[in-house]
Amino acid sequence: VFVDLFCGGCNVGMNVKAGHTVYNDTSKPLIGLLKTLRRLNADTMVARVNALVDEFGLSRTRDHNFAYYGGDANLGVSVYNRDKYLQLRERFNSYPKKDNQYYIYLYTLIVFGFNNQMRFNDNGTFNLPVGKRDFNTAIEGKLIRFMKALRAQDCEFSTKDFRRFNFDQLTERSLVYCDPPYLITTATYNEKDGWTAKDEQDLLALLDRLNARGLRFALSNVLEHEGKRNVILQDWLGRNRYRTHELFMDYHYSNYRKKSRAADSKEVLITNF
């Protein structure tokens, strides 16, 4: 059993060979979307996203270049899509049911939204602005591959707080992977105290309990970032004999908000095996 305790976009769990995979995340819209992608046929999903593109008059860079839509490499299609995207966002936020169509709206917003992220305000309203991209052939291909891989997996989904997750079914052949929000960095999923020092301490205490039971874990985190140090994590490592694997991740060409920068961050993978 592989447990992806903070699964996000399932990038890790999707690439691990396991008899059974558990995807857990406290974001109910995210888990609802993942369940929909596993349930629907890929051709149906693609057709319905394209239908929304046509209905709202959004760009199609698979057929035309940025210049055709008045954009360039810097702006992409953001200016052309802005008003159309806001109409789509309004449709989604007023949609009354969390059915397949709800999650097709959500996926389309993510594709056309800022940095392909997902963010809801305190009222449950999706509030990201328009992004530079659209539903091009590369993204369509990734969607199809992801949906097929997800359907091929023996997996399940959960929305538990990590403190309430049930680890009883795990054995020494299991692995718990944790990629929590990073305490000393900022990202969309870690705004408004989304991850606190108390959360960090509770997660590390949980990993100690898993270790005492003979269960394997792996933790992704950042020890240093832009002059800040994760003292809680460093003290915990000093009290234990876990293995710290230093990573060099080059995010120079990434358009996404970065968890860390290789030049000023110390990103690590911590394991008890």
Side-chain angles (χ1 to χ4, degrees), residues 64-185:
H64 306 285
N65 58 24
F66 289 154
Y68 179 86
Y69 295 105
D72 53 30
N74 182 45
L75 292 173
V77 288
S78 59
V79 175
Y80 177 85
N81 281 331
R82 182 174 292 117
D83 291 342
K84 304 170 180 63
Y85 173 85
L86 292 176
Q87 293 172 22
L88 173 64
R89 194 177 72 179
E90 183 178 355
R91 168 85 65 84
F92 169 77
N93 284 327
S94 62
Y95 194 76
K97 298 184 295 183
K98 289 183 172 58
D99 56 8
N100 287 345
Q101 187 60 41
Y102 174 92
Y103 290 107
I104 292 168
Y105 282 136
L106 177 57
Y107 173 79
T108 308
L109 283 172
I110 292 170
V111 169
F112 283 84
F114 177 73
N115 277 352
N116 303 134
Q117 295 175 350
M118 181 174 66
R119 184 181 68 191
F120 292 82
N121 63 21
D122 293 339
N123 297 321
T125 300
F126 187 93
N127 63 354
L128 277 176
V130 71
K132 301 178 181 180
R133 303 180 182 180
D134 64 10
F135 192 53
N136 56 43
T137 54
I139 292 178
E140 178 184 316
K142 290 179 181 180
L143 172 64
I144 292 171
R145 292 193 298 274
F146 180 83
M147 292 180 69
K148 290 182 177 179
L150 197 59
R151 292 183 73 174
Q153 264 193 337
D154 181 351
C155 63
E156 64 180 285
F157 302 94
S158 168
T159 56
K160 299 286 187 183
D161 181 284
F162 69 89
R163 284 162 283 236
R164 295 178 176 84
F165 188 88
N166 184 3
F167 297 95
D168 290 346
Q169 79 274 25
L170 302 186
T171 71
E172 68 279 357
R173 298 181 63 200
S174 303
L175 175 63
V176 178
Y177 173 67
C178 303
D179 187 16
Y182 296 163
L183 184 64
I184 58 175
T185 70

Side-chain angles (χ1 to χ4, degrees), residues 3-268:
V3 177
D4 201 345
L5 197 58
F6 303 83
C7 72
C10 301
N11 294 334
V12 176
M14 183 60 63
N15 289 284
V16 171
K17 293 181 179 180
H20 184 71
T21 301
V22 182
Y23 292 111
N24 182 76
D25 201 286
T26 55
S27 172
K28 292 182 178 179
L30 169 64
I31 295 299
L33 175 59
L34 291 170
K35 288 181 176 180
T36 301
L37 293 177
R38 190 168 194 264
R39 182 170 58 244
L40 288 180
N41 175 275
D43 290 340
T44 299
M45 182 72 183
V46 169
R48 292 176 70 172
V49 172
N50 278 320
L52 287 178
V53 171
D54 291 339
E55 179 182 353
F56 287 88
L58 294 159
S59 65
R60 284 186 173 277
T61 55
R62 66 177 65 204
D63 300 324
H64 306 285
N65 58 24
F66 289 154
Y68 179 86
Y69 295 105
D72 53 30
N74 182 45
L75 292 173
V77 288
S78 59
V79 175
Y80 177 85
N81 281 331
R82 182 174 292 117
D83 291 342
K84 304 170 180 63
Y85 173 85
L86 292 176
Q87 293 172 22
L88 173 64
R89 194 177 72 179
E90 183 178 355
R91 168 85 65 84
F92 169 77
N93 284 327
S94 62
Y95 194 76
K97 298 184 295 183
K98 289 183 172 58
D99 56 8
N100 287 345
Q101 187 60 41
Y102 174 92
Y103 290 107
I104 292 168
Y105 282 136
L106 177 57
Y107 173 79
T108 308
L109 283 172
I110 292 170
V111 169
F112 283 84
F114 177 73
N115 277 352
N116 303 134
Q117 295 175 350
M118 181 174 66
R119 184 181 68 191
F120 292 82
N121 63 21
D122 293 339
N123 297 321
T125 300
F126 187 93
N127 63 354
L128 277 176
V130 71
K132 301 178 181 180
R133 303 180 182 180
D134 64 10
F135 192 53
N136 56 43
T137 54
I139 292 178
E140 178 184 316
K142 290 179 181 180
L143 172 64
I144 292 171
R145 292 193 298 274
F146 180 83
M147 292 180 69
K148 290 182 177 179
L150 197 59
R151 292 183 73 174
Q153 264 193 337
D154 181 351
C155 63
E156 64 180 285
F157 302 94
S158 168
T159 56
K160 299 286 187 183
D161 181 284
F162 69 89
R163 284 162 283 236
R164 295 178 176 84
F165 188 88
N166 184 3
F167 297 95
D168 290 346
Q169 79 274 25
L170 302 186
T171 71
E172 68 279 357
R173 298 181 63 200
S174 303
L175 175 63
V176 178
Y177 173 67
C178 303
D179 187 16
Y182 296 163
L183 184 64
I184 58 175
T185 70
T186 301
T188 301
Y189 52 76
N190 196 23
E191 295 174 334
K192 300 179 181 178
D193 293 324
W195 188 260
T196 66
K198 176 68 163 53
D199 295 321
E200 189 89 351
Q201 291 166 340
D202 287 350
L203 177 59
L204 300 181
L206 168 65
L207 297 180
D208 284 338
R209 293 195 296 273
L210 295 180
N211 181 66
R213 286 181 51 193
L215 299 178
R216 292 177 296 169
F217 71 74
L219 168 67
S220 292
N221 218 306
V222 169
L223 282 171
E224 299 175 9
H225 180 73
E226 296 181 353
K228 294 181 289 185
R229 295 170 59 244
N230 188 334
V231 177
I232 295 172
L233 184 61
Q234 290 178 330
D235 289 349
W236 178 71
L237 288 173
R239 296 193 305 271
N240 293 282
R241 301 181 66 180
Y242 303 136
R243 295 186 178 183
T244 301
H245 312 266
E246 294 189 14
L247 307 179
F248 179 84
M249 304 300 292
D250 186 358
Y251 295 99
H252 179 70
Y253 294 105
S254 174
N255 289 324
Y256 296 88
R257 184 174 298 190
K258 304 164 185 62
K259 287 182 178 179
S260 67
R261 296 176 185 269
D264 53 20
S265 292
K266 186 176 181 179
E267 190 167 1
V268 294

